[in-house]
Amino acid sequence: MKILVLLCSLFALTSFGPKPKLTSVKVAPGLTVGVPQGFTPLPDEGIAVKFPSPRKPLAVYSSPNTKADYSVAVRPTMFGPDYNVLLPMYKASVQRLYTKVEFLTQEVRKVNGREFVALEFVSTMVDSRRGANALAPIRKYEYIQYTVQGEQLYIFSFSAPADEQPQWRPIAQAVQSDISLK
């Protein structure tokens, strides 16, 4: 009982903490996002290393210690904006990428009047191919949101080390709630 009271008290105290400070950034015409103060744009070379893909994200912002990243990407899509269909599809896609996924949030939500598929989770990637020489598992805290506009899929992704989740979660939630796409 004492533990429950302590946890409730801790929750009440932290829920009134200061809101993370965000800077409004225009990423593309009609697209503005909130970027945590202190985050800086990652140069093309850094993007190529951290996000190896044939399609470069629209923008990537990195924390001062480079451990946390916020990226915005756009991809063509043939799927319409039926978010209740997209949610299980993107959830399954995330589960295929990692060895283990612990979902914290999996929902369709509205941000500034627009629907998004929101997936917040802790991922674990285990190196199982090397046997005794395997690398330590990589654990990440991630919050990804997807939305469709026309024939474009917009992907907003916040990523940080899993052991720093308590520090980064309020910031990721604030960032994912500060998206304006017209």
Side-chain angles (χ1 to χ4, degrees):
M1 186 65 170
K2 288 182 182 179
I3 293 174
L4 181 60
V5 171
L6 181 63
L7 286 175
C8 288
S9 299
L10 181 63
F11 176 73
L13 289 174
T14 58
S15 65
F16 296 111
K19 297 269 185 205
K21 293 183 180 174
L22 304 178
T23 302
S24 188
V25 176
K26 186 174 183 174
V27 175
L31 175 59
T32 304
V33 298
V35 175
Q37 282 190 346
F39 275 48
T40 56
L42 203 57
D44 286 344
E45 305 81 44
I47 291 173
V49 170
K50 278 191 165 185
F51 298 87
S53 172
R55 293 190 185 161
K56 185 178 112 178
L58 287 176
V60 178
Y61 299 91
S62 198
S63 65
N65 65 6
T66 69
K67 289 184 177 183
D69 295 303
Y70 177 52
S71 66
V72 180
V74 63
R75 306 280 184 263
T77 186
M78 295 172 27
F79 297 106
D82 185 345
Y83 294 96
N84 291 316
V85 171
L86 293 177
L87 175 62
M89 188 173 75
Y90 289 127
K91 179 182 175 188
S93 177
V94 164
Q95 289 173 312
R96 281 192 301 272
L97 288 174
Y98 303 103
T99 309
K100 181 180 177 187
V101 179
E102 300 166 49
F103 285 97
L104 307 170
T105 302
Q106 48 184 322
E107 65 185 0
V108 175
R109 67 187 291 243
K110 280 199 176 199
V111 175
N112 293 323
R114 174 177 288 279
E115 286 192 309
F116 287 82
V117 168
L119 299 172
E120 182 183 22
F121 56 93
V122 175
S123 65
T124 304
M125 180 65 78
V126 176
D127 179 14
S128 60
R129 295 179 291 176
R130 297 184 191 211
N133 296 329
L135 299 172
I138 298 171
R139 296 185 71 242
K140 289 262 192 189
Y141 162 72
E142 303 187 51
Y143 194 146
I144 303 173
Q145 288 190 151
Y146 306 88
T147 193
V148 176
Q149 178 164 311
E151 295 181 359
Q152 301 294 317
L153 171 69
Y154 287 83
I155 306 161
F156 303 86
S157 179
F158 190 96
S159 179
D163 60 341
E164 296 178 12
Q165 176 188 341
Q167 169 192 345
W168 291 111
R169 188 173 191 198
I171 295 168
Q173 290 172 339
V175 164
Q176 296 291 29
S177 295
D178 194 1
I179 299 168
S180 177
L181 179 60
K182 298 178 182 178

